[in-house]
Structures are given as structure tokens and as C-alpha cells.
Amino acid sequence: MVVQQLIPQPEWTNLSQRMIWHGRRICHARKPACGACPVAKICPSVGIGEMDKEKALLLVKTDKDFR
Ligand code: SF4
């Protein structure tokens, strides 16, 4: 409900896809790469994953990891 008020309806599907890919690439369930996360400054869960930037960058998945 809150998200619906913040995001225009035509963007809902795009937002959903972005959230999925954010989880696949950066915010992994077992080991989030918080130190490399672009939304870390506004995330209430920041710090549950690796905070060291260099170590966190090694956790980030790229296109090559999904081929
Ligand atoms: S800062 Fe938040 S959104 Fe980003 S990786 Fe950590 S837990 Fe996930």
C-alpha cells in the first residue's frame, strides 16, 4: 500500500523486476553485499551483510554469473 502511493502504477511491474534483480545481484538472502549496496543509506537492515566495500563487491553478481 505504501509503495503504491509512492510509485506511479505504470512503474509497478518495472519496480517489481528491479527488486527481484536487486535480490539476485546484491541483497542475497544468505549473504547480502551491504557495503556495495546503492540503497544502503536508506535500508533499515543495512549491516546484516558484509559491510567492507572491497569484500562486498566480491559478493555482487554480474551478468556473467547468470549465463
Ligand atoms: S543494505 Fe539493505 S538492501 Fe542493501 S544489501 Fe544490505 S540488507 Fe540488502
Side-chain angles (χ1 to χ4, degrees):
M1 186 72 161
V2 173
V3 175
Q4 291 175 338
Q5 293 169 349
L6 293 172
I7 308 295
Q9 187 171 8
E11 295 295 323
W12 289 356
T13 300
N14 192 7
L15 175 67
S16 175
Q17 291 295 318
R18 288 176 184 218
M19 296 293 284
I20 290 167
W21 280 103
H22 179 67
R24 289 181 182 170
R25 291 175 186 254
I26 298 173
C27 191
H28 316 124
R30 292 189 180 179
K31 203 167 187 179
C34 297
C37 179
V39 297
K41 287 183 179 171
I42 60 169
C43 176
S45 298
V46 65
I48 63 170
E50 179 60 59
M51 287 299 292
D52 179 83
K53 187 171 186 176
E54 289 185 18
K55 291 178 182 173
L57 284 170
L58 295 174
L59 298 173
V60 174
K61 301 209 180 298
T62 65
D63 289 344
K64 287 185 284 185
D65 296 308
F66 299 104
R67 288 183 190 152

